[in-house]
Amino acid sequence: MLETFKNAWKVHEIRKKILFTLAIVVIYRIGCAIPVPGVDVSVVAESVQTNSFFGLFNVLTGGAFEQFAIFALGISPNINASIIIQLLTMVIPALERWSKEGEEGRKKISALTRYATLAISLLMAIGFTLGIRGALTDNNFLSYLFVILTVVAGSMLTMWLGEQITENGIGNGISMLIFVGIVSRIVPAAIGLVKNVAGGAFGWWWLPIILIGVVFIFAAIVFMDKGERKIQVNYAQRVVGRKVYGGQSTHIPMKLNPSGVLPIIFAVSIVSLPTMVATWFPNTAYARFAKGYLGQTSVIYIVVYALLVIFFAFFYTTMTFNPIEVSKNLKENGGFVLGIRPGKPTSDYLSKILTKLTLAGSLFLAFIAILPILVGMFNPALQNMAIGGSSTIILVNVALETASQLESMMLMRHYKGFLKA
């Protein structure tokens, strides 16, 4: 990966894209450090330390929520909007038609995603402002309105910055901004870990164990991300006029983890909702119940979280891969899986393999999702260094995706040079 970046830096066009991406990243990080006027940052920071939901959201925003900066919502509203629109595209015929209309359809879906981002940003801004209302210096309607409009505007600006990276920079803009936010938390987490060792919270021998564990987890995520089952497909020969078609062999790639980090994002959003609602009513019986039985360290939370990750992994996979449609397309084009009859036997065979792969991938995602919680329960001193399952997977996926895009850009440049010659 480092060699890929080094070679890409030598190309003038790619170097300009890299510098543009870095410039946008700097602007984003500056916005994450400018607090919203009228908010006591120290009170918000204390809430982040005591509230598990705020702490998780603070990691995903790269510490912007802890500062209650103008980019406190981060890119999360745009991510949620994109996922919702993507799922609706699979079930609403009008959206499905737009997705097949080329550039015009893409523009319509992008506009709809922006409107959805605005609506979700407004809802999240209202919820978070009510959750940290004790941090507002002036407790009146205008103060609430100002804070809400500021963070909503920051969220929309963050979305625009992400779009600029996608169009003119390197990698996917949304993923890149999340990646930068997570990376910015690694150094403070490492410093906190060293301080805990120096303070005697746990022995120094924990350091190599933690390092080996982190390397093992990253290696396992890379393996699951790249792992796939290749189903061999053969095509019968057909004679049309004087030409012979078919007679070739290819494969259907079926990934171990086709849904990526989406199941964890959905699961976190749902399982954290009761805790978020409890922050709106801090001195009620419901708030005490949510803190005691629905908190991040409760058994109910862990079990429901894991089950939701598994459920959404199966849900997303079945929505994106249809064995019946794949079997139908193979039959129409003269293709067949070796040793399996075309038609229903092929679809049943693909469904069986898909279920096994999805089960393995979903169990792995569930384990990665709850691992930081279990580590924090085992030793509270290690809780701050656990950046979360979704964060770890995002780091790996974005790094691999960016390296792949750089390789594709260099390969395309070589082809262009060859054609010009």
Side-chain angles (χ1 to χ4, degrees), residues 261 296 401 407:
V261 74
Q296 191 175 3
E401 178 186 350
E407 292 175 354

Side-chain angles (χ1 to χ4, degrees), residues 83-322:
I83 294 173
I84 292 173
I85 297 300
Q86 182 181 2
L87 293 177
L88 291 178
T89 301
M90 303 174 186
V91 296
I92 298 180
L95 294 180
E96 187 177 0
R97 286 196 304 270
W98 288 358
S99 65
K100 298 178 180 179
E101 290 178 358
E103 185 65 22
E104 287 300 320
R106 189 187 67 82
K107 290 181 180 179
K108 293 178 182 178
I109 293 179
S110 297
L112 185 61
T113 303
R114 293 189 184 98
Y115 288 123
T117 301
L118 178 60
I120 294 175
S121 298
L122 184 60
L123 291 175
M124 292 182 66
I126 294 173
F128 283 132
T129 302
L130 292 175
I132 55 100
R133 57 183 176 272
L136 271 63
T137 55
D138 295 322
N139 195 5
N140 55 62
F141 175 76
L142 290 179
S143 297
Y144 280 87
L145 182 63
F146 175 77
V147 172
I148 291 172
L149 293 180
T150 300
V151 294
V152 168
S155 176
M156 300 306 292
L157 179 57
T158 303
M159 179 188 67
W160 181 82
L161 292 175
E163 291 177 348
Q164 296 307 304
I165 293 178
T166 302
E167 295 176 4
N168 305 307
I170 299 294
N172 181 281
I174 295 176
S175 301
M176 189 63 67
L177 293 182
I178 299 178
F179 178 86
V180 171
I182 296 172
V183 169
S184 67
R185 301 298 300 169
I186 293 179
V187 174
I191 294 175
L193 182 63
V194 173
K195 288 182 178 179
N196 285 330
V197 173
F202 49 85
W204 63 268
W205 47 270
W206 270 100
L207 292 178
I209 295 178
I210 293 173
L211 181 60
I212 294 173
V214 170
V215 172
F216 175 78
I217 290 173
F218 273 91
I221 293 175
V222 172
F223 173 79
M224 294 296 294
D225 186 74
K226 293 294 185 180
E228 63 181 17
R229 170 79 179 272
K230 295 181 179 180
I231 308 299
Q232 184 176 349
V233 177
N234 297 327
Y235 288 90
Q237 287 188 351
R238 293 179 300 163
V239 179
V240 181
R242 296 183 178 180
K243 295 183 178 180
V244 179
Y245 297 91
Q248 299 176 346
S249 178
T250 181
H251 68 271
I252 301 175
M254 300 179 69
K255 295 179 68 66
L256 271 172
N257 181 26
S259 55
V261 74
L262 294 182
I264 295 181
I265 294 177
F266 274 122
V268 167
S269 301
I270 294 178
V271 79
S272 300
L273 186 60
T275 308
M276 180 179 179
V277 174
T279 61
W280 304 346
F281 313 100
N283 298 319
T284 60
Y286 171 75
R288 291 189 291 271
F289 172 79
K291 184 178 180 181
Y293 297 97
L294 303 178
Q296 191 175 3
T297 57
S298 67
V299 177
I300 296 177
Y301 180 97
I302 296 174
V303 173
V304 173
Y305 186 16
L307 292 177
L308 284 175
V309 170
I310 296 173
F311 168 77
F312 281 118
F314 274 92
F315 175 78
Y316 185 85
T317 302
T318 54
M319 293 293 288
T320 54
F321 187 91
N322 189 342

Side-chain angles (χ1 to χ4, degrees), residues 311-375:
F311 168 77
F312 281 118
F314 274 92
F315 175 78
Y316 185 85
T317 302
T318 54
M319 293 293 288
T320 54
F321 187 91
N322 189 342
I324 298 177
E325 184 177 348
V326 173
S327 175
K328 181 181 178 181
N329 292 335
L330 288 177
K331 187 176 181 180
E332 292 177 350
N333 291 279
F336 60 92
V337 178
L338 191 63
I340 307 296
R341 292 173 58 87
K344 189 176 185 302
T346 299
S347 64
D348 293 340
Y349 176 73
L350 294 177
S351 298
K352 184 178 179 180
I353 294 178
L354 183 65
T355 300
K356 292 180 179 179
L357 294 176
T358 306
L359 178 61
S362 63
L363 291 176
F364 175 78
L365 284 178
F367 171 73
I368 292 296
I370 66 175
L371 181 61
I373 303 175
L374 299 178
V375 171

